[in-house]
Amino acid sequence: PLLNLPTNFSSTNNQAIVARLRGPLVPVMPAFGPNEALDLASTCRWVDSLIDRGIRLFWTTYGTSHFMTLSDEELMELTRAVAAVTRGRATFIASTAFHWSTQRCIEFTQFAAECGVDIVKLQVDWRWLPSEDLVFEHYRKIAEASPLPLFAYTLAQPGLTGGMSVRLLERILELPQFVGFKNDTGDFYEQTAYLAAIRKGGRPFAAMTGGSMESFLHGHEFGATAFAAALGMIAPELTLRFADHLDKGEREAALQIVREIEQPTSRLF
């Protein structure tokens, strides 16, 4: 049975949670066996090795974590397994599926809390062009019931009008359970606008782009503190060194890593 866990989202608690959201975040890419079944043992060994090498932020996510190929049961198994490895060692943001109802998402936040997950990311399929009022009500109802802090999500695709508006973000900032969001709308102009809204809101909140040091180099100037890093999956020390340069104000050294390593590597994919 799911636990009826207490909800306590004070500004002090949120500040402590957001303070942990710094530096590179690695998206969990699950391993699969030759029969196409999830290989949770290999996945957990990989996550464990990344923690040993210094990574302190992880999340599951629709694309990199292959949600489109996972059943609901497999998604739960992946969440439970990763949470067991990260508990007490790293921050883990577990994600809902695109197709889940509001009630199913609420149940997942309770399940995630039992497993030791730190934050739940509520993924909305923006390709269906939901109204922002509908998205907000979905988030509000989950926030009222969630025992865990939450991340919102925005996505832009060809044919869409640009993902989450700044006005919707401002409304989400009024929900104390939300401590951040993943921005798959745009790494530069859109991210700058979102970060301005967060500064105006005046409370701890993390805006994380989809996955490059280059975009974080830009966002860092406007208040971003953490970034999803594809290279972190194979070269964690590189992403940690990049983040350390920025923390120390060594922007040229960070820029050199982007120009000489990340940009040439990105062109291979």
Side-chain angles (χ1 to χ4, degrees), residues 60-63 67 94-102 105 120-140 142 150-157 160 163-164 168 172 178 181-185:
T60 51
T61 193
Y62 184 84
F67 277 17
S95 295
T96 62
F98 275 171
H99 63 278
W100 285 353
S101 67
T102 300
C105 291
V120 170
K121 176 155 59 72
L122 303 172
Q123 300 190 135
V124 173
D125 192 349
W126 287 89
R127 296 171 298 181
W128 289 101
L129 302 178
S131 74
E132 293 200 337
D133 285 342
L134 187 63
V135 172
F136 181 77
E137 280 304 299
H138 176 66
Y139 280 166
R140 183 188 63 79
I142 297 168
L150 303 170
F151 254 50
Y153 176 72
T154 180
L155 169 71
Q157 291 277 318
L160 297 189
M164 181 188 297
L168 177 55
I172 291 170
F178 281 86
F181 83 124
K182 181 187 181 186
N183 169 25
D184 274 342
T185 294

Side-chain angles (χ1 to χ4, degrees), residues 34 56 77 163 186-187 223:
R56 292 294 178 266
E77 291 174 353
D187 289 352

Side-chain angles (χ1 to χ4, degrees), residues 22 220 240-251 253:
R22 298 193 63 85
H220 185 264
L240 289 163
R241 188 164 73 248
F242 166 81
D244 186 57
H245 284 316
L246 287 180
D247 284 344
K248 293 177 179 177
E250 300 165 352
R251 192 176 188 279

Side-chain angles (χ1 to χ4, degrees), residues 6-111:
T7 303
N8 180 14
F9 295 95
S10 69
S11 58
T12 302
N13 287 345
N14 281 358
Q15 189 169 1
I17 292 165
V18 177
R20 289 154 54 189
L21 302 177
R22 298 193 63 85
L25 175 148
V26 171
V28 175
M29 179 177 286
F32 293 88
N35 61 351
E36 299 186 357
L38 268 176
D39 183 345
L40 292 176
S42 295
T43 303
C44 289
R45 284 195 298 271
W46 172 65
V47 172
D48 180 69
S49 71
L50 288 172
I51 295 173
D52 285 345
R53 295 166 73 180
I55 296 297
R56 292 294 178 266
L57 299 175
F58 296 87
W59 67 23
T60 51
T61 193
Y62 184 84
T64 308
S65 301
H66 300 297
F67 277 17
M68 74 291 291
T69 69
L70 301 181
S71 67
D72 285 3
E73 181 180 356
E74 288 173 323
L75 197 158
M76 305 280 274
E77 291 174 353
L78 177 65
T79 300
R80 184 187 292 110
V82 174
V85 179
T86 58
R87 183 182 289 205
R89 303 171 66 206
T91 297
F92 176 34
I93 305 171
S95 295
T96 62
F98 275 171
H99 63 278
W100 285 353
S101 67
T102 300
Q103 181 58 36
R104 183 71 184 85
C105 291
I106 290 171
E107 293 169 358
F108 182 75
T109 66
Q110 295 171 330
F111 166 80

Side-chain angles (χ1 to χ4, degrees), residues 2-8 109-115 145-148:
L2 297 175
L3 299 177
N4 293 316
L5 298 172
T7 303
N8 180 14
T109 66
Q110 295 171 330
F111 166 80
E114 294 177 13
C115 292
S146 175
L148 290 176

